Amino acid sequence: MSTVSETIHVPAPVDEVFAFLDDPNNHMAVTPSIADIDNVERLENGGKRLDHTFRMAGVALDGELVQTVHEPDERMVFEMRGRLEGEIGLQFEAEDGGTRLTYAATYEIPGNVLSAVAAPFARRYNERELRTTLENVQTHFEVAG
């Protein structure tokens, strides 16, 4: 299992950042490796279940995301199922007139991807991916603001 985590300041109120990331299509817009999102269903807990395709090292990884925790304006937790397994957590906290957004992911890299991108390179790839995703969220709100 690999774990990556990053925090960034987003220049927008917590409720706006949470609402933005509560829309699965926005994840596709800010996360470079998400190639497709389909079959989005709302769950009883307020979260969502969806099918997705994630690209890592040129390999398409189809799977399902299930939002197991949906606490408005506080946190979201997604369980990744399929070829890429693990958990993604988003934490939202008010900070200096904006939002402190923390993104953490724990995942198992499939063997075919691991053999294509040795483990240290895969970890750096995912750290860069996470950082780019957070920077894209930040930029979205800087441009919109």
Side-chain angles (χ1 to χ4, degrees):
M1 285 285 213
S2 293
T3 300
V4 293
S5 181
E6 187 86 29
T7 299
I8 198 164
H9 177 82
V10 179
V14 169
D15 62 331
E16 290 180 21
V17 178
F18 187 93
F20 178 76
L21 290 172
D22 200 30
D23 180 342
N25 292 310
N26 290 332
H27 284 271
M28 195 163 134
V30 298
T31 306
S33 294
I34 295 180
D36 189 39
I37 290 177
D38 200 16
N39 301 320
V40 177
E41 300 172 22
R42 181 158 296 278
L43 302 174
E44 288 184 22
N45 69 358
K48 290 149 195 89
R49 191 223 63 82
L50 56 95
D51 296 326
H52 74 283
T53 301
F54 190 82
R55 286 201 167 284
M56 180 184 287
V59 177
L61 303 169
D62 294 324
E64 174 185 57
L65 281 177
V66 178
Q67 195 171 14
T68 57
V69 176
H70 183 267
E71 297 173 358
D73 303 340
E74 292 182 26
R75 71 185 186 123
M76 300 177 185
V77 177
F78 300 86
E79 182 180 325
M80 296 183 292
R81 301 174 182 168
R83 294 183 60 206
L84 185 61
E85 295 187 352
E87 185 176 272
I88 296 169
L90 298 170
Q91 186 79 34
F92 305 80
E93 300 172 76
E95 174 187 75
D96 298 329
T99 301
R100 177 181 172 89
L101 175 61
T102 301
Y103 186 126
T106 302
Y107 52 89
E108 184 79 40
I109 300 173
N112 61 336
V113 173
L114 190 56
S115 63
V117 189
F121 297 106
R123 179 173 177 76
R124 282 196 299 273
Y125 173 89
N126 285 304
E127 288 171 347
R128 190 172 46 253
E129 176 78 10
L130 188 143
R131 190 173 318 107
T132 299
T133 297
L134 288 175
E135 289 169 354
N136 287 344
V137 172
Q138 182 183 51
T139 299
H140 169 82
F141 284 97
E142 287 173 345
V143 171

